[in-house]
């Protein structure tokens, strides 16, 4: 068994905001990928993954038994494959905000869902929302709460525009050019856990001041960034990314690793690059935007930098 490949994703815009109906834009990132495989021989890595898959299979079984499952699965086949040592062979770093659990969920759905919506169908909005709901339920096993967007992106391998929680569609993004600007990943050197970060965000949402900031600044700038990016309006995009980056530094500090605070501020002061969260933060990757990649690489020479998209 050598399964189809499922890729990592990057949520360019919309982290946290999509919980409160901001726009969002998620794109596949093909540098990292995973597939379900039955190994020729067991290793510590395959056994660890197999153990997690057994727990995930039990979770899906409980959903079906209680009548809560939004999808039907051939769990008998999954259990047979697990007995043969099946594991998820993945190069996607875990706890880095690039969708490691999303790719796994997409792979399990693709192989074992008996009522699955295939990527070859005419993907109406209703079908996309059905998929998103099923994926959210599956992925909540890993995070406690999930939007379902990471698995959806991985499953479809298409850019996805989130207009609101109930309005999502495949998106056409401008072709990459090579005029010197780029979106890049910056490695914080530490993993982050989604669940505690989301819990922290929900605690902050109890404060009226934070809610007002989210609505009037964070969501506003996020929406403008999405619109600018899709239109290819790079000049306006970087003005709005700078505003968004400053709001995140001012109000989301616990989600930014401490040793990145100064680096974040330096980008805002020098306009060489602007940083934002990649996923829930707390570690993993940060996202960077620059209009001069060579200059940004020079300034950030002590950090591991991976180019995602070029302007």
């Amino acid at each position: 068994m050598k399964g189809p490949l499922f890729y990592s994703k990057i949520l360019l815009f919309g982290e946290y905001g999509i919980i409160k109906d901001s726009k969002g834009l998620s794109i596949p990132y093909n540098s990292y990928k995973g597939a379900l495989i039955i190994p020729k021989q067991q290793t510590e890595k395959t056994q660890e993954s197999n153990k997690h898959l057994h727990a995930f299979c039990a979770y899906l079984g409980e959903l079906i038994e209680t009548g809560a499952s939004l999808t039907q699965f051939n769990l008998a086949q999954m259990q047979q494959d697990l007995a043969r040592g099946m594991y998820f062979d993945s190069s996607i770093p875990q706890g880095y905000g690039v969708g490691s659990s999303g790719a796994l969920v997409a792979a399990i759905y693709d192989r074992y869902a008996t009522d699955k919506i295939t990527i070859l169908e005419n993907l109406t909005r209703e079908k996309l929302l059905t998929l998103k709901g099923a994926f959210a339920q599956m992925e909540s096993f890993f995070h406690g709460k999930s939007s379902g967007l990471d698995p959806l992106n991985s499953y479809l391998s298409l850019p996805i525009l989130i207009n609101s929680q109930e309005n999502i569609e495949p998106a056409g993004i401008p072709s990459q050019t090579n005029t010197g600007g780029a979106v890049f990943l910056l490695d914080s050197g530490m993993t982050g856990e989604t669940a505690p970060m989301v819990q922290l965000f929900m605690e902050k949402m109890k404060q009226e001041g934070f809610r007002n900031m989210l609505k009037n600044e964070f969501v506003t700038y996020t929406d403008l960034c999405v619109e600018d990016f899709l239109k290819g309006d790079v000049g306006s995009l970087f003005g709005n990314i700078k505003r968004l980056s400053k709001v995140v530094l001012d109000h989301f500090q616990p989600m930014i690793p401490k040793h990145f605070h100064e680096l974040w501020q330096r980008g805002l002061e020098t306009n060489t690059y602007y940083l934002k969260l990649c996923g829930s933060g707390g570690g993993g990757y940060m996202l960077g935007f620059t209009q001069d990649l060579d200059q940004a690489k020079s300034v950030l020479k002590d950090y591991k930098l991976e180019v995602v998209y070029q302007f």
Side-chain angles (χ1 to χ4, degrees), residues 108-177:
I108 294 290
Y109 178 89
D110 179 65
R111 176 157 297 164
Y112 299 108
T114 54
D115 54 352
K116 75 177 179 184
I117 295 168
T118 74
I119 58 174
L120 301 174
E121 292 176 38
N122 175 25
L123 290 168
T124 61
R125 185 173 296 171
E126 287 71 28
K127 284 180 181 175
L128 285 172
L129 287 172
T130 299
L131 273 172
K132 179 174 172 284
F135 287 147
Q137 186 181 55
M138 292 171 72
E139 197 181 32
S140 65
F141 172 75
F142 300 98
H143 296 320
K145 183 175 172 59
S146 164
S147 68
L149 284 166
D150 286 6
L152 184 65
N153 198 294
S154 189
Y155 185 63
L156 301 178
S157 210
L158 289 169
I160 293 170
L161 170 63
I162 303 106
N163 293 301
S164 67
Q165 294 210 21
E166 297 303 313
N167 183 350
I168 57 176
E169 58 187 313
I173 62 173
S175 298
Q176 295 194 56
T177 58

Side-chain angles (χ1 to χ4, degrees), residues 52-260:
H52 287 306
L53 287 178
H54 268 289
F56 188 38
C57 184
Y59 166 76
L60 297 177
E62 283 170 25
L63 287 176
I64 291 170
E65 278 176 32
T66 58
S69 185
L70 298 173
T71 312
Q72 295 306 306
F73 298 95
N74 184 349
L75 293 187
Q77 183 61 57
M78 186 174 175
Q79 284 158 354
Q80 278 180 30
D81 293 339
L82 287 170
R84 293 169 61 203
M86 182 180 72
Y87 76 110
F88 190 57
D89 185 24
S90 172
S91 64
I92 307 170
Q94 292 185 351
Y96 264 69
V98 288
S100 56
S101 60
L104 169 57
V105 164
I108 294 290
Y109 178 89
D110 179 65
R111 176 157 297 164
Y112 299 108
T114 54
D115 54 352
K116 75 177 179 184
I117 295 168
T118 74
I119 58 174
L120 301 174
E121 292 176 38
N122 175 25
L123 290 168
T124 61
R125 185 173 296 171
E126 287 71 28
K127 284 180 181 175
L128 285 172
L129 287 172
T130 299
L131 273 172
K132 179 174 172 284
F135 287 147
Q137 186 181 55
M138 292 171 72
E139 197 181 32
S140 65
F141 172 75
F142 300 98
H143 296 320
K145 183 175 172 59
S146 164
S147 68
L149 284 166
D150 286 6
L152 184 65
N153 198 294
S154 189
Y155 185 63
L156 301 178
S157 210
L158 289 169
I160 293 170
L161 170 63
I162 303 106
N163 293 301
S164 67
Q165 294 210 21
E166 297 303 313
N167 183 350
I168 57 176
E169 58 187 313
I173 62 173
S175 298
Q176 295 194 56
T177 58
N178 199 0
T179 53
V183 183
F184 58 88
L185 293 173
L186 207 58
D187 191 346
S188 71
M190 56 192 277
T191 58
E193 283 189 56
T194 300
M197 292 294 109
V198 171
Q199 188 150 10
L200 187 61
F201 173 78
M202 291 305 190
E203 282 299 312
K204 281 175 165 284
M205 284 296 291
K206 293 174 182 174
Q207 302 162 21
E208 188 183 357
F210 187 84
R211 289 198 304 274
N212 289 338
M213 174 281 303
L214 196 82
K215 180 182 169 188
N216 299 325
E217 297 178 67
F218 187 82
V219 169
T220 298
Y221 298 141
T222 296
D223 287 358
L224 289 169
C225 284
V226 171
E227 289 160 19
D228 289 342
F229 187 90
L230 291 175
K231 283 190 297 195
D233 189 342
V234 176
S236 178
L237 173 66
F238 274 86
N240 285 315
I241 286 172
K242 181 174 184 177
R243 294 180 190 102
L244 182 60
S245 180
K246 184 165 190 334
V247 167
V248 174
L249 183 61
D250 289 345
H251 299 282
F252 289 78
Q253 285 213 359
M255 288 80 165
I256 303 170
K258 283 205 170 94
H259 60 289
F260 263 61

